[in-house]
Amino acid sequence: MTIGQRYVRFAEREARGVSAAYERLACFVSRDEKLLGLLGTLPEAKQQPNLLFGVVRLLGGPVDDPAAFGDYVLANWSTVEAEVRARVTQTNEAGRCAVLLPLLAALPQPLALLEVGASAGLCLYPDRYAYRYAGSDGSPGGHLIGAGEPVLDCVVTNLTPPDHRPEVVWRAGLDLNPLDVTEPADVAWLDALIWPEHEHRRDRLRAAAAVAAADPPLLVRGDLVDDLPALAARAPADATLVVFHTSVLYLVPAPRRAAFTEAVRGLPGHWIANEGPSVLPYAALPQPPSDLHLNVLALDGQPLAWTRGHGQEITWFG
């Protein structure tokens, strides 16, 4: 797949109906030979739309007008390139806890959570957030669970939402470049990765960051294969270990994904994956309810539901 095709795919599969600004930008980049030429000088992992757009937002560049965006990137390429090469996409969307909660609440309590690709660790607090589930027809699918901020909204289909939050007694994250929510520069990068129109996600980021900053998790800089067993061994023995990840493994080369799968299956406890359908080897999957349902939620390798990327919807397999 060419760089231009990747940007078209991003526009059609990820941005359409979610971010008009990013859909326009991705379509524009896919047709601009100068921008495509510059992107072609980067490693493949650094060519992704989310990374380029997030860096331009971080630098204060324009993302509402494609032509102005293109002019900015061309005029400031050395700065843009340096930031793109130095950074990785680390979207830390607390909203994804809403699709994890049905599994977390059903496991033997209490839990010891270990998130792979944790970024700043905002998804390590499913016991601290409030949840509001609704049925796919707009009718209530479950009452409000918990109290406080942020409140995570999620539409559910073929599923009765849980009526309680999990009990978490230990939380830790593993990341090649963990972020610190007490550092304004790290929070600014998380903010830059939120798509332009999504003010509700910016509000949610601030609320979730406040929760994490009040009781920071254990975040370890390390590799998801080499350093996973040692971190898992630090979990309390009287808690159910749950290793989980959301929209992380697509960034990992296939051989390392296979090695991670082998490593996590060798640990005690449970494994929750929320990744694209081509990322992990599932034998057969039902048709997704829409093009916006990009991830498959699985427990211990068994696929159970389709989810949307920011945790706003879950459709249990019927």
Side-chain angles (χ1 to χ4, degrees), residues 74-124:
L74 292 175
N76 298 276
W77 176 246
S78 61
T79 302
V80 172
E81 179 188 21
E83 289 288 344
V84 166
R85 288 183 179 275
R87 296 183 180 276
V88 293
T89 52
Q90 293 179 275
T91 302
N92 203 186
E93 179 50 71
R96 291 170 178 159
C97 287
V99 300
L100 300 175
L101 188 71
L103 296 183
L104 295 174
L107 293 174
Q109 306 293 308
L111 305 181
L113 299 183
L114 196 168
E115 184 181 11
V116 172
S119 187
L122 300 186
C123 288
L124 285 166

Tab-separated table of all heavy atoms in Angstrom, residues 74-124:
chain	number	residue	atom	x	y	z
A	74	LEU	N	5.325	22.324	4.442
A	74	LEU	CA	6.427	22.549	3.506
A	74	LEU	C	7.390	23.613	4.033
A	74	LEU	O	8.613	23.464	3.923
A	74	LEU	CB	5.877	22.960	2.144
A	74	LEU	CG	5.093	21.879	1.373
A	74	LEU	CD1	4.503	22.456	0.103
A	74	LEU	CD2	5.978	20.680	1.063
A	75	ALA	N	6.843	24.676	4.618
A	75	ALA	CA	7.685	25.783	5.099
A	75	ALA	C	8.430	25.433	6.381
A	75	ALA	O	9.477	26.027	6.670
A	75	ALA	CB	6.835	27.031	5.320
A	76	ASN	N	7.908	24.472	7.142
A	76	ASN	CA	8.498	24.140	8.443
A	76	ASN	C	8.902	22.669	8.518
A	76	ASN	O	8.923	22.084	9.604
A	76	ASN	CB	7.488	24.453	9.565
A	76	ASN	CG	7.116	25.919	9.633
A	76	ASN	OD1	7.813	26.722	10.235
A	76	ASN	ND2	5.994	26.262	9.007
A	77	TRP	N	9.265	22.090	7.379
A	77	TRP	CA	9.488	20.656	7.350
A	77	TRP	C	10.581	20.208	8.310
A	77	TRP	O	10.442	19.164	8.962
A	77	TRP	CB	9.808	20.186	5.941
A	77	TRP	CG	10.140	18.719	5.894
A	77	TRP	CD1	11.324	18.133	5.583
A	77	TRP	CD2	9.257	17.637	6.223
A	77	TRP	NE1	11.245	16.763	5.689
A	77	TRP	CE2	9.987	16.427	6.082
A	77	TRP	CE3	7.916	17.570	6.633
A	77	TRP	CZ2	9.420	15.177	6.326
A	77	TRP	CZ3	7.355	16.308	6.884
A	77	TRP	CH2	8.106	15.146	6.727
A	78	SER	N	11.656	20.944	8.440
A	78	SER	CA	12.741	20.492	9.318
A	78	SER	C	12.257	20.345	10.761
A	78	SER	O	12.616	19.386	11.452
A	78	SER	CB	13.932	21.459	9.248
A	78	SER	OG	13.552	22.758	9.665
A	79	THR	N	11.426	21.291	11.205
A	79	THR	CA	10.878	21.212	12.565
A	79	THR	C	9.864	20.090	12.674
A	79	THR	O	9.867	19.310	13.639
A	79	THR	CB	10.232	22.546	12.957
A	79	THR	OG1	11.194	23.588	12.860
A	79	THR	CG2	9.691	22.493	14.373
A	80	VAL	N	8.966	20.007	11.677
A	80	VAL	CA	7.945	18.955	11.676
A	80	VAL	C	8.611	17.584	11.643
A	80	VAL	O	8.256	16.681	12.411
A	80	VAL	CB	6.998	19.131	10.476
A	80	VAL	CG1	6.059	17.926	10.343
A	80	VAL	CG2	6.187	20.415	10.617
A	81	GLU	N	9.595	17.426	10.766
A	81	GLU	CA	10.275	16.136	10.631
A	81	GLU	C	10.934	15.723	11.946
A	81	GLU	O	10.841	14.548	12.366
A	81	GLU	CB	11.325	16.206	9.532
A	81	GLU	CG	12.101	14.895	9.354
A	81	GLU	CD	13.264	15.020	8.396
A	81	GLU	OE1	13.731	16.152	8.157
A	81	GLU	OE2	13.708	13.969	7.895
A	82	ALA	N	11.596	16.655	12.609
A	82	ALA	CA	12.276	16.326	13.867
A	82	ALA	C	11.289	15.842	14.916
A	82	ALA	O	11.553	14.865	15.647
A	82	ALA	CB	13.042	17.550	14.374
A	83	GLU	N	10.136	16.499	15.004
A	83	GLU	CA	9.128	16.087	15.985
A	83	GLU	C	8.530	14.733	15.613
A	83	GLU	O	8.300	13.885	16.482
A	83	GLU	CB	8.022	17.146	16.075
A	83	GLU	CG	8.448	18.440	16.742
A	83	GLU	CD	8.648	18.285	18.243
A	83	GLU	OE1	8.181	17.293	18.822
A	83	GLU	OE2	9.293	19.176	18.840
A	84	VAL	N	8.260	14.526	14.333
A	84	VAL	CA	7.686	13.255	13.887
A	84	VAL	C	8.644	12.107	14.189
A	84	VAL	O	8.239	11.037	14.663
A	84	VAL	CB	7.359	13.304	12.381
A	84	VAL	CG1	7.097	11.913	11.829
A	84	VAL	CG2	6.143	14.199	12.129
A	85	ARG	N	9.927	12.326	13.932
A	85	ARG	CA	10.902	11.268	14.186
A	85	ARG	C	11.076	11.004	15.680
A	85	ARG	O	11.376	9.874	16.090
A	85	ARG	CB	12.254	11.638	13.558
A	85	ARG	CG	12.274	11.567	12.033
A	85	ARG	CD	13.648	11.875	11.477
A	85	ARG	NE	13.690	11.781	10.024
A	85	ARG	CZ	13.892	10.659	9.337
A	85	ARG	NH1	14.086	9.520	10.000
A	85	ARG	NH2	13.923	10.667	8.012
A	86	ALA	N	10.871	12.019	16.506
A	86	ALA	CA	11.102	11.878	17.947
A	86	ALA	C	9.899	11.307	18.690
A	86	ALA	O	10.041	10.807	19.806
A	86	ALA	CB	11.471	13.237	18.546
A	87	ARG	N	8.711	11.374	18.077
A	87	ARG	CA	7.490	11.025	18.796
A	87	ARG	C	6.821	9.787	18.210
A	87	ARG	O	7.110	9.366	17.094
A	87	ARG	CB	6.504	12.203	18.784
A	87	ARG	CG	7.017	13.429	19.524
A	87	ARG	CD	5.990	14.534	19.560
A	87	ARG	NE	6.493	15.697	20.264
A	87	ARG	CZ	6.451	15.850	21.593
A	87	ARG	NH1	5.902	14.901	22.347
A	87	ARG	NH2	6.938	16.936	22.161
A	88	VAL	N	5.909	9.232	18.991
A	88	VAL	CA	5.038	8.158	18.523
A	88	VAL	C	3.616	8.514	18.940
A	88	VAL	O	3.399	9.286	19.880
A	88	VAL	CB	5.426	6.787	19.117
A	88	VAL	CG1	6.780	6.343	18.594
A	88	VAL	CG2	5.440	6.829	20.648
A	89	THR	N	2.649	7.961	18.228
A	89	THR	CA	1.264	8.194	18.625
A	89	THR	C	1.009	7.461	19.934
A	89	THR	O	1.256	6.265	20.044
A	89	THR	CB	0.286	7.687	17.554
A	89	THR	OG1	0.602	6.334	17.234
A	89	THR	CG2	0.380	8.533	16.297
A	90	GLN	N	0.530	8.193	20.896
A	90	GLN	CA	0.282	7.624	22.231
A	90	GLN	C	-1.077	8.068	22.744
A	90	GLN	O	-1.232	8.441	23.897
A	90	GLN	CB	1.380	8.056	23.202
A	90	GLN	CG	2.750	7.484	22.879
A	90	GLN	CD	3.811	7.965	23.859
A	90	GLN	OE1	4.381	9.032	23.679
A	90	GLN	NE2	4.081	7.181	24.878
A	91	THR	N	-2.054	8.035	21.849
A	91	THR	CA	-3.400	8.421	22.250
A	91	THR	C	-3.805	7.636	23.499
A	91	THR	O	-3.824	6.410	23.480
A	91	THR	CB	-4.402	8.147	21.115
A	91	THR	OG1	-3.988	8.872	19.957
A	91	THR	CG2	-5.796	8.586	21.510
A	92	ASN	N	-4.094	8.334	24.559
A	92	ASN	CA	-4.419	7.690	25.822
A	92	ASN	C	-5.882	8.004	26.136
A	92	ASN	O	-6.186	8.906	26.903
A	92	ASN	CB	-3.486	8.191	26.928
A	92	ASN	CG	-3.363	7.231	28.084
A	92	ASN	OD1	-2.745	7.530	29.084
A	92	ASN	ND2	-3.955	6.046	27.969
A	93	GLU	N	-6.769	7.269	25.493
A	93	GLU	CA	-8.195	7.562	25.553
A	93	GLU	C	-8.860	6.797	26.696
A	93	GLU	O	-9.097	5.591	26.603
A	93	GLU	CB	-8.846	7.194	24.212
A	93	GLU	CG	-10.328	7.419	24.148
A	93	GLU	CD	-10.717	8.807	24.630
A	93	GLU	OE1	-10.426	9.777	23.912
A	93	GLU	OE2	-11.309	8.905	25.721
A	94	ALA	N	-9.159	7.523	27.770
A	94	ALA	CA	-9.803	6.902	28.926
A	94	ALA	C	-11.156	6.309	28.569
A	94	ALA	O	-11.618	5.363	29.211
A	94	ALA	CB	-9.965	7.932	30.049
A	95	GLY	N	-11.791	6.837	27.517
A	95	GLY	CA	-13.095	6.326	27.103
A	95	GLY	C	-13.093	4.849	26.763
A	95	GLY	O	-14.138	4.184	26.813
A	96	ARG	N	-11.933	4.309	26.419
A	96	ARG	CA	-11.860	2.881	26.095
A	96	ARG	C	-12.155	1.998	27.292
A	96	ARG	O	-12.465	0.815	27.134
A	96	ARG	CB	-10.477	2.560	25.518
A	96	ARG	CG	-10.254	3.175	24.147
A	96	ARG	CD	-8.816	3.071	23.687
A	96	ARG	NE	-8.649	3.633	22.344
A	96	ARG	CZ	-7.495	4.050	21.842
A	96	ARG	NH1	-6.387	3.978	22.583
A	96	ARG	NH2	-7.422	4.537	20.614
A	97	CYS	N	-12.073	2.563	28.495
A	97	CYS	CA	-12.425	1.779	29.684
A	97	CYS	C	-13.880	1.327	29.632
A	97	CYS	O	-14.237	0.308	30.248
A	97	CYS	CB	-12.177	2.587	30.953
A	97	CYS	SG	-10.431	2.805	31.370
A	98	ALA	N	-14.727	2.052	28.912
A	98	ALA	CA	-16.149	1.692	28.848
A	98	ALA	C	-16.373	0.368	28.139
A	98	ALA	O	-17.329	-0.350	28.452
A	98	ALA	CB	-16.941	2.804	28.157
A	99	VAL	N	-15.517	0.011	27.172
A	99	VAL	CA	-15.674	-1.282	26.503
A	99	VAL	C	-14.896	-2.380	27.225
A	99	VAL	O	-15.173	-3.565	27.027
A	99	VAL	CB	-15.266	-1.206	25.012
A	99	VAL	CG1	-16.141	-0.199	24.286
A	99	VAL	CG2	-13.804	-0.871	24.830
A	100	LEU	N	-13.939	-2.000	28.060
A	100	LEU	CA	-13.224	-2.984	28.867
A	100	LEU	C	-14.018	-3.387	30.107
A	100	LEU	O	-13.883	-4.509	30.610
A	100	LEU	CB	-11.876	-2.422	29.313
A	100	LEU	CG	-10.881	-2.006	28.227
A	100	LEU	CD1	-9.651	-1.358	28.862
A	100	LEU	CD2	-10.477	-3.191	27.375
A	101	LEU	N	-14.843	-2.478	30.606
A	101	LEU	CA	-15.527	-2.692	31.888
A	101	LEU	C	-16.341	-3.983	31.943
A	101	LEU	O	-16.289	-4.687	32.964
A	101	LEU	CB	-16.414	-1.489	32.219
A	101	LEU	CG	-17.039	-1.519	33.625
A	101	LEU	CD1	-15.978	-1.277	34.679
A	101	LEU	CD2	-18.159	-0.489	33.748
A	102	PRO	N	-17.129	-4.343	30.889
A	102	PRO	CA	-17.908	-5.584	30.998
A	102	PRO	C	-17.048	-6.812	31.290
A	102	PRO	O	-17.486	-7.716	32.018
A	102	PRO	CB	-18.579	-5.686	29.621
A	102	PRO	CG	-18.702	-4.270	29.159
A	102	PRO	CD	-17.436	-3.613	29.650
A	103	LEU	N	-15.836	-6.863	30.759
A	103	LEU	CA	-14.955	-7.987	31.039
A	103	LEU	C	-14.299	-7.844	32.407
A	103	LEU	O	-14.244	-8.806	33.186
A	103	LEU	CB	-13.878	-8.099	29.963
A	103	LEU	CG	-14.362	-8.406	28.544
A	103	LEU	CD1	-13.176	-8.562	27.596
A	103	LEU	CD2	-15.231	-9.661	28.518
A	104	LEU	N	-13.808	-6.656	32.715
A	104	LEU	CA	-13.118	-6.451	33.990
A	104	LEU	C	-14.041	-6.710	35.182
A	104	LEU	O	-13.619	-7.292	36.185
A	104	LEU	CB	-12.562	-5.030	34.061
A	104	LEU	CG	-11.463	-4.689	33.050
A	104	LEU	CD1	-11.109	-3.212	33.148
A	104	LEU	CD2	-10.228	-5.555	33.279
A	105	ALA	N	-15.284	-6.283	35.069
A	105	ALA	CA	-16.219	-6.445	36.184
A	105	ALA	C	-16.612	-7.906	36.391
A	105	ALA	O	-17.024	-8.289	37.490
A	105	ALA	CB	-17.468	-5.594	35.943
A	106	ALA	N	-16.485	-8.732	35.337
A	106	ALA	CA	-16.914	-10.129	35.420
A	106	ALA	C	-15.815	-11.068	35.901
A	106	ALA	O	-16.090	-12.228	36.240
A	106	ALA	CB	-17.416	-10.590	34.053
A	107	LEU	N	-14.568	-10.600	35.944
A	107	LEU	CA	-13.459	-11.454	36.361
A	107	LEU	C	-13.401	-11.566	37.882
A	107	LEU	O	-13.931	-10.710	38.599
A	107	LEU	CB	-12.142	-10.882	35.826
A	107	LEU	CG	-11.973	-10.908	34.299
A	107	LEU	CD1	-10.684	-10.188	33.899
A	107	LEU	CD2	-11.961	-12.343	33.790
A	108	PRO	N	-12.753	-12.601	38.408
A	108	PRO	CA	-12.614	-12.737	39.873
A	108	PRO	C	-11.891	-11.523	40.460
A	108	PRO	O	-10.836	-11.125	39.986
A	108	PRO	CB	-11.774	-14.011	40.023
A	108	PRO	CG	-12.025	-14.792	38.765
A	108	PRO	CD	-12.182	-13.765	37.687
A	109	GLN	N	-12.483	-10.945	41.476
A	109	GLN	CA	-11.948	-9.740	42.104
A	109	GLN	C	-11.099	-10.112	43.321
A	109	GLN	O	-11.300	-11.167	43.924
A	109	GLN	CB	-13.099	-8.827	42.512
A	109	GLN	CG	-14.067	-8.498	41.393
A	109	GLN	CD	-13.471	-7.642	40.287
A	109	GLN	OE1	-12.895	-6.590	40.566
A	109	GLN	NE2	-13.588	-8.087	39.049
A	110	PRO	N	-10.167	-9.247	43.736
A	110	PRO	CA	-9.777	-7.978	43.122
A	110	PRO	C	-8.817	-8.207	41.959
A	110	PRO	O	-8.332	-9.315	41.745
A	110	PRO	CB	-9.075	-7.256	44.275
A	110	PRO	CG	-8.450	-8.368	45.064
A	110	PRO	CD	-9.429	-9.508	44.991
A	111	LEU	N	-8.533	-7.103	41.224
A	111	LEU	CA	-7.726	-7.193	40.022
A	111	LEU	C	-6.380	-6.499	40.197
A	111	LEU	O	-6.264	-5.500	40.920
A	111	LEU	CB	-8.449	-6.533	38.846
A	111	LEU	CG	-9.856	-7.024	38.506
A	111	LEU	CD1	-10.391	-6.260	37.295
A	111	LEU	CD2	-9.885	-8.526	38.271
A	112	ALA	N	-5.389	-7.053	39.505
A	112	ALA	CA	-4.099	-6.389	39.322
A	112	ALA	C	-3.978	-6.106	37.833
A	112	ALA	O	-3.891	-7.036	37.029
A	112	ALA	CB	-2.957	-7.283	39.793
A	113	LEU	N	-4.027	-4.834	37.456
A	113	LEU	CA	-4.056	-4.452	36.050
A	113	LEU	C	-2.663	-4.133	35.535
A	113	LEU	O	-1.910	-3.380	36.167
A	113	LEU	CB	-4.956	-3.228	35.850
A	113	LEU	CG	-6.425	-3.378	36.227
A	113	LEU	CD1	-7.177	-2.083	35.900
A	113	LEU	CD2	-7.061	-4.559	35.499
A	114	LEU	N	-2.344	-4.666	34.369
A	114	LEU	CA	-1.070	-4.381	33.708
A	114	LEU	C	-1.384	-4.034	32.257
A	114	LEU	O	-1.811	-4.898	31.486
A	114	LEU	CB	-0.129	-5.583	33.794
A	114	LEU	CG	1.353	-5.354	33.492
A	114	LEU	CD1	2.185	-6.571	33.903
A	114	LEU	CD2	1.627	-5.023	32.037
A	115	GLU	N	-1.191	-2.776	31.907
A	115	GLU	CA	-1.493	-2.329	30.548
A	115	GLU	C	-0.222	-2.268	29.708
A	115	GLU	O	0.772	-1.653	30.105
A	115	GLU	CB	-2.155	-0.949	30.554
A	115	GLU	CG	-2.560	-0.501	29.151
A	115	GLU	CD	-3.207	0.872	29.121
A	115	GLU	OE1	-3.159	1.582	30.143
A	115	GLU	OE2	-3.753	1.238	28.064
A	116	VAL	N	-0.261	-2.893	28.550
A	116	VAL	CA	0.837	-2.849	27.591
A	116	VAL	C	0.584	-1.684	26.637
A	116	VAL	O	-0.519	-1.540	26.105
A	116	VAL	CB	0.929	-4.177	26.816
A	116	VAL	CG1	1.941	-4.072	25.694
A	116	VAL	CG2	1.289	-5.310	27.760
A	117	GLY	N	1.605	-0.849	26.438
A	117	GLY	CA	1.397	0.365	25.647
A	117	GLY	C	0.570	1.362	26.433
A	117	GLY	O	-0.397	1.938	25.928
A	118	ALA	N	0.957	1.589	27.673
A	118	ALA	CA	0.113	2.334	28.620
A	118	ALA	C	0.107	3.837	28.398
A	118	ALA	O	-0.750	4.536	28.946
A	118	ALA	CB	0.563	2.044	30.050
A	119	SER	N	1.080	4.370	27.658
A	119	SER	CA	1.193	5.824	27.492
A	119	SER	C	1.291	6.470	28.876
A	119	SER	O	2.215	6.197	29.619
A	119	SER	CB	0.019	6.359	26.682
A	119	SER	OG	0.178	7.722	26.366
A	120	ALA	N	0.311	7.290	29.261
A	120	ALA	CA	0.341	7.905	30.590
A	120	ALA	C	-0.454	7.110	31.623
A	120	ALA	O	-0.568	7.527	32.773
A	120	ALA	CB	-0.198	9.331	30.520
A	121	GLY	N	-1.032	5.981	31.207
A	121	GLY	CA	-1.718	5.106	32.152
A	121	GLY	C	-3.161	5.474	32.454
A	121	GLY	O	-3.727	4.990	33.436
A	122	LEU	N	-3.808	6.273	31.607
A	122	LEU	CA	-5.164	6.715	31.921
A	122	LEU	C	-6.191	5.592	31.860
A	122	LEU	O	-7.254	5.691	32.466
A	122	LEU	CB	-5.584	7.849	30.976
A	122	LEU	CG	-4.711	9.112	31.012
A	122	LEU	CD1	-5.317	10.203	30.141
A	122	LEU	CD2	-4.516	9.612	32.443
A	123	CYS	N	-5.889	4.514	31.143
A	123	CYS	CA	-6.822	3.392	31.082
A	123	CYS	C	-6.632	2.411	32.240
A	123	CYS	O	-7.283	1.364	32.280
A	123	CYS	CB	-6.676	2.655	29.746
A	123	CYS	SG	-7.339	3.577	28.347
A	124	LEU	N	-5.765	2.766	33.178
A	124	LEU	CA	-5.537	1.922	34.348
A	124	LEU	C	-6.475	2.252	35.507
A	124	LEU	O	-6.309	1.709	36.602
A	124	LEU	CB	-4.081	2.058	34.813
A	124	LEU	CG	-3.047	1.342	33.946
A	124	LEU	CD1	-1.635	1.825	34.276
A	124	LEU	CD2	-3.150	-0.176	34.133
